[in-house]
Each structure stands twice: as structure tokens, then as C-alpha cells.
Amino acid sequence: MLTLAATLVVAAVLAAPAAAYEVVTVADGGAVAGVVTFSGTPPRLEPLAVTRNHDVCGEQKESEALVLGPERGVRGSVVLVEGVARGKKPGAEVVLDNNRCVFVAHVTAAMTGEKARVKNSDAILHSTHGSAGKPTVFNLALPGRDQMIDITRRLTRPGVIRVVCEAHPHMLAWMIVHDSPYYAVTDERGAFRIDGILPGSYKVTMWHEGFRPRGLDKDGRPLYGEPRTVTRGVTIAPRVTATVDFELK
């Protein structure tokens, strides 16, 4: 696990302007795969109280700050292959959905320039506000069901975007913007796989939002400890899958 100083350095790197990425044919690409697991005693995360629109939202929601599978795999970690200047064609499309007063998915990732949209699946007002530190990246009022707004042109810089709903303080999500399509969000088992990587040596960084409860802010939003990052080196060989596992504790 990185120290606080090292974490700040990583955050600064993630927030740097995106370098030009070149799409090329990857005929002999390799892959990196692994699992993010939790070690130790996980914290007790209390349900989040809902303060309005109970007919749609219910009375409370489960915290998604730390979600563990049956074998302690960590869902919702983001794994990034760093320093990739050329490679496969981007192809993802991200939809951040306000659905029953929860952001779906709680953690998403995208490359700069990849299509990304914010959606409202509820018949109530949601106001989706994403910020990279203090600067606002997007702040969108979605008053009606099935309304959708494109945010592709707003995701111009790599970095970590914290997303809240200004109308519902319990709602929280994260969006990680990367400078290449070489990223993955871990599944329910904590597993990930990133393929189509040109052979070479790389750094692979795992990011997790932080999960130690720290009460509520002045607006009643839940607070947790600082995000966690761990970086490992990996060598990618042609048509071979390298294994890189990460551990949170």
C-alpha cells in the first residue's frame, strides 16, 4: 500500500493532461489478469439514510464503499495499465445511471474521448455532480425519467471524478478516466482482465475508493478514508496472460 505522499504523487499523475494515444493493430498482444482481495477484518459499514423521495428511494441504501465476494474478492476496484502510448482501439461506452436513487454502476471507468452518458431512470429529479478534486467536471439536472445527457466532451483529462447527487446526499459514485483503453473494473469476485496489450514492461495500478467510515460531511454525505492505490510492475509477453494480484487491508 502506498504512503500518503506516494498516493498524492499518483493522484497528480492521474490528473495530468492526456497524451496522444495511437491506435495500431495488435497482432501478438498479451494480457494481464488477476484478483483484488481483502485481508483482515473488514469495517462495518452502516446503511445510508435516505432523506427524501422515500416513495422512490426507500428508507435506506447499503453502502458500496467496500463490497466483498464470498472469497473476499473486492468489487469495484479499478486496474490501470500505465504509460501505454499505442495499442488497441477504444470501444467502451459508459452509462452512469441514476436508478432507484443509486448510481449504477457505483464505480465506472472510461478513456478520454470514449462515449459516456449520464442517465436518469427515476421519475424524480436527480442532479448529478462530478468533480475532480475541487473543479467541477459536470453538473447536470435530470428532472425526468429516461433523460440522458452526453458527457463525452467533458472527460478530457485523466483522473478520478467523485460523483454525487445534489438532491440526494446518500448517493455517491466514482468515475476513473484513463489515457488509454487499458483499464478494468473488478467484478463480483474481485477479478479483472485487460487484453490486447503490446509486449513490453509496464506499471499496473490498482485504485480503490477507500472504505473506513469517517462520519458525514456538512451536507449529510457519508465520508470514508482516502482512496487506496497500489502499483506493481509487469512484463507482457506475446499472446501470454500475466498474473498480477492485489490486496487491500
Side-chain angles (χ1 to χ4, degrees):
M1 185 180 303
L2 296 181
T3 63
L4 176 58
T7 300
L8 293 175
V9 170
V10 170
V13 171
L14 290 175
Y21 175 79
E22 181 184 2
V23 175
V24 299
T25 300
V26 183
D28 60 349
V32 58
V35 179
V36 180
T37 56
F38 190 87
S39 174
T41 303
R44 178 178 174 81
L45 301 181
E46 298 293 339
L48 308 176
V50 175
T51 58
R52 61 186 303 182
N53 297 123
H54 293 149
D55 56 328
V56 175
C57 304
E59 298 296 327
Q60 62 184 26
K61 299 292 183 181
E62 294 299 318
S63 171
E64 296 182 87
L66 181 65
V67 180
L68 303 183
E71 297 182 3
R72 302 175 73 84
V74 182
R75 189 188 82 184
S77 299
V78 181
V79 180
L80 309 169
V81 183
E82 299 188 52
V84 184
R86 53 203 299 267
K88 66 182 180 180
K89 180 181 179 180
E93 179 176 340
V94 173
V95 176
L96 180 60
D97 192 6
N98 296 261
N99 193 324
R100 297 187 64 82
C101 306
V102 174
F103 287 117
V104 181
H106 179 67
V107 178
T108 57
M111 178 185 172
T112 54
E114 286 185 317
K115 188 172 182 61
R117 295 177 291 174
V118 173
K119 179 181 179 181
N120 183 7
S121 291
D122 297 330
I124 57 174
L125 169 68
H126 286 298
S127 183
T128 306
H129 184 186
S131 56
K134 292 184 178 180
T136 290
V137 179
F138 50 84
N139 194 357
L140 309 169
L142 296 98
R145 175 179 285 172
D146 295 329
Q147 184 176 2
M148 191 174 295
I149 300 177
D150 192 295
I151 60 170
T152 306
R153 294 185 178 181
R154 303 170 194 249
L155 306 182
T156 59
R157 298 169 66 91
V160 178
I161 300 175
R162 183 175 185 263
V163 185
V164 300
C165 177
E166 297 292 358
H168 302 92
H170 69 276
M171 293 178 64
L172 172 65
W174 298 88
M175 180 178 290
I176 309 302
V177 183
H178 197 35
D179 56 9
S180 81
Y182 294 101
Y183 60 81
V185 181
T186 56
D187 64 17
E188 290 78 5
R189 300 180 299 108
F192 69 92
R193 179 181 176 86
I194 305 170
D195 58 16
I197 308 171
L198 287 170
S201 295
Y202 301 92
K203 290 182 179 179
V204 180
T205 295
M206 183 279 301
W207 175 95
H208 188 274
E209 66 186 89
F211 47 83
R212 300 289 177 185
R214 292 190 174 179
L216 305 175
D217 70 8
K218 61 181 179 61
D219 297 316
R221 292 190 173 87
L223 296 174
Y224 301 95
E226 293 295 321
R228 309 291 184 91
T229 56
V230 180
T231 298
R232 305 204 187 289
V234 64
T235 298
I236 302 298
R239 302 183 182 182
V240 174
T241 298
T243 299
V244 178
D245 294 327
F246 295 95
E247 183 180 86
L248 284 176
K249 58 183 179 180

